[in-house]
Amino acid sequence: MGKYFVLQLKRVARYLPYGLCVVLVLFGCMRAVYGALVTAENAENAAENIKLQVAVVGTAGDKYLQWGLAAMQFDSSAMSLKLVTMEEPQAIEALKSGRITAYVVFPEGFVEDALYGNIQKLRFVSTAGTADLAVIIKEEVTAVVDRILVACESGSYGMGDALTDNGLAGSWDQHVNGIALEYVDFLFDRSRIYQVAETDQMHHISLAQYMPGALSTMLLMLSCLVFAPLYVRADQAMPRLLRSQRIGIPGQVLTEWAGYGLGLTALSAVVAMILSDSGMVSVSGWTVFGIMLPGLWMFAALAYLMYSLADQLISGILGGFFITLALCYVGGCLYPIRIFPDSVQALSAVLPSGIARAYMISGFLGAGQTGFWKLLAYTGVFLLLSVLVRGYKAGKVRG
């Protein structure tokens, strides 16, 4: 057994230079894909985060408008505009210089008049080049005004009715001001009206965080193809010879798989150091290497099983390649898993590629890793199946 293991190491060592070249090429492709995806995501996020800056004129003496505008800017995630307060001369200069897109003028006493049914017109001012933005500005400012009026009107009438019903109409001003301040305090202390719940990490991380683990999983799976010529057998002469030397089928499988895994381990050590130095992950190279190992040995067992099933080298390589692509696709190694339907996501969670991908992403992010025992179980299953296939073929030949 020991001599056969040394023989396996020598056979694998002869393929390491070729394997290293292949892995470096794959890593270069992976780095290019990663760069393109992250650049596209950053551009998309930048476009989404761009807000039009609009000046609001005429709010200096109106506390209700000031409160409402402050509240809307506090909840600015719902708006495509950034509202700033200015005097009209300042707004005109800012519009000419391009620092703002437009400005809107609120007439004096707008809120008080509106409460009594006298709706005054707002004045929108923009340049000819931004005329098409008037519709957006009107919708956003109308939303601001609508929420201000609803809050003020509901609070005023509600408090007035309550005071009148209880014979306290004389203290109307004092209590209305008090409830207005309570409303503002409640609005700005919104932590009392929501709770934080943690959801699946894979659905909320960015591409820059997701893709290193996903692409590394695919790289490990494709790296397994390098050693295919060593394990695809057209006949069973060697297994029969080994059995005559008292090396049984399980011993043969474990010895060959161990040599195969050590060869892949040597290649993954190089990849781990390069991956860490590339800036794609924030953990050290040795940490990356340790994170890769469980998935690597499991993929070695899977590839060994596929090569055990093949009788010809071409069929073994092509079969392994297409099975690898299918597992990578469904396992979320080519695209973020969150874009797939729930049924595919559920399938990915039980596939070896999906488990390894989730394990590596969590490890690269420094989060709690789950799935180690699933990877170990898959490794055992693949090795057991390899033993059964080798035993079936050897028995078939002998019969």
Side-chain angles (χ1 to χ4, degrees):
M1 180 76 76
K3 293 181 179 180
Y4 187 57
F5 178 66
V6 173
L7 175 62
Q8 291 301 312
L9 292 180
K10 291 180 179 179
R11 296 177 68 206
V12 168
R14 287 199 297 268
Y15 274 83
L16 282 179
Y18 308 104
L20 182 60
C21 293
V22 171
V23 167
L24 291 178
V25 170
L26 289 175
F27 180 83
C29 296
M30 183 183 85
R31 186 66 180 85
V33 170
Y34 171 82
L37 290 175
V38 172
T39 300
E41 183 187 42
N42 290 340
E44 182 180 352
N45 290 340
E48 290 177 352
N49 291 332
I50 292 176
K51 293 192 175 187
L52 305 176
Q53 185 159 289
V54 176
V56 181
V57 177
T59 64
D62 196 321
K63 62 183 179 182
Y64 296 105
L65 276 173
Q66 290 175 359
W67 285 345
L69 292 172
M72 290 300 295
Q73 286 303 104
F74 187 71
D75 192 23
S76 60
S77 59
M79 301 183 64
S80 58
L81 301 180
K82 180 181 180 181
L83 303 179
V84 293
T85 56
M86 292 183 179
E87 295 296 332
E88 189 164 12
Q90 295 176 317
I92 293 173
E93 292 298 322
L95 183 62
K96 289 180 179 179
S97 64
R99 289 186 288 114
I100 61 173
T101 307
Y103 70 88
V104 56
V105 179
F106 283 83
E108 185 178 356
F110 177 81
V111 173
E112 287 81 359
D113 290 346
L115 290 174
Y116 290 98
N118 182 21
I119 307 298
Q120 302 185 55
K121 291 185 177 180
L122 304 180
R123 181 160 57 93
F124 293 89
V125 181
S126 63
T127 62
T130 58
D132 292 340
L133 300 174
V135 176
I136 299 176
I137 296 172
K138 290 177 182 178
E139 291 177 352
E140 297 277 7
V141 175
T142 301
V144 174
V145 175
D146 179 67
R147 292 170 68 171
I148 294 171
L149 293 179
V150 169
C152 293
E153 186 176 18
S154 300
S156 298
Y157 284 118
M159 178 59 72
D161 291 342
L163 293 173
T164 301
D165 293 343
N166 291 276
L168 300 173
S171 59
W172 194 90
D173 290 340
Q174 175 185 353
H175 289 289
V176 167
N177 289 338
I179 197 172
L181 292 174
E182 287 290 336
Y183 170 74
V184 172
D185 289 340
F186 177 76
L187 180 64
F188 283 94
D189 187 21
R190 295 184 297 177
S191 61
R192 294 182 294 170
I193 60 174
Y194 66 82
Q195 62 181 16
V196 177
E198 294 185 358
T199 57
D200 185 4
Q201 182 188 39
M202 297 303 165
H203 287 73
H204 298 280
I205 61 177
S206 65
L207 279 177
Q209 296 171 311
Y210 182 96
M211 293 311 296
L215 292 174
S216 295
T217 303
M218 183 171 66
L219 187 148
L220 290 181
M221 296 185 71
L222 291 174
S223 299
C224 294
L225 298 173
V226 173
F227 299 99
L230 297 178
Y231 301 106
V232 177
R233 287 192 171 90
D235 59 66
Q236 297 298 314
M238 178 60 71
R240 283 184 289 159
L241 176 62
L242 293 173
R243 292 185 69 179
S244 68
Q245 299 296 319
R246 296 184 179 181
I247 301 177
I249 298 297
Q252 297 175 30
V253 170
L254 290 176
T255 301
E256 293 175 5
W257 168 70
Y260 189 11
L262 289 174
L264 291 174
T265 299
L267 295 179
S268 68
V270 177
V271 172
M273 301 307 163
I274 298 175
L275 182 62
S276 178
D277 292 339
S278 69
M280 295 171 61
V281 295
S282 58
V283 294
S284 67
W286 289 112
T287 302
V288 173
F289 177 63
I291 293 168
M292 286 182 169
L293 285 180
L296 180 149
W297 283 88
M298 185 268 292
F299 289 136
L302 172 60
Y304 185 86
L305 172 62
M306 291 189 294
Y307 301 149
S308 297
L309 290 168
D311 292 326
Q312 300 294 329
L313 180 58
I314 296 299
S315 62
I317 294 177
L318 289 179
F321 177 74
F322 288 113
I323 291 174
T324 295
L325 285 185
L327 287 174
C328 287
Y329 181 78
V330 181
C333 302
L334 299 175
Y335 305 98
I337 193 62
R338 61 177 175 265
I339 72 172
F340 290 97
D342 292 341
S343 57
V344 177
Q345 294 184 33
L347 178 60
S348 172
V350 298
L351 287 177
S353 54
I355 297 171
R357 182 258 310 158
Y359 183 85
M360 278 198 270
I361 292 176
S362 299
F364 292 167
L365 295 179
Q369 293 172 275
T370 59
F372 174 81
W373 295 109
K374 293 179 182 179
L375 294 175
L376 188 62
Y378 264 119
T379 303
V381 170
F382 294 145
L383 290 175
L384 177 60
L385 292 175
S386 298
V387 170
L388 295 176
V389 170
R390 175 71 65 86
Y392 171 77
K393 287 188 172 183
K396 185 178 179 181
V397 171
R398 189 173 62 252

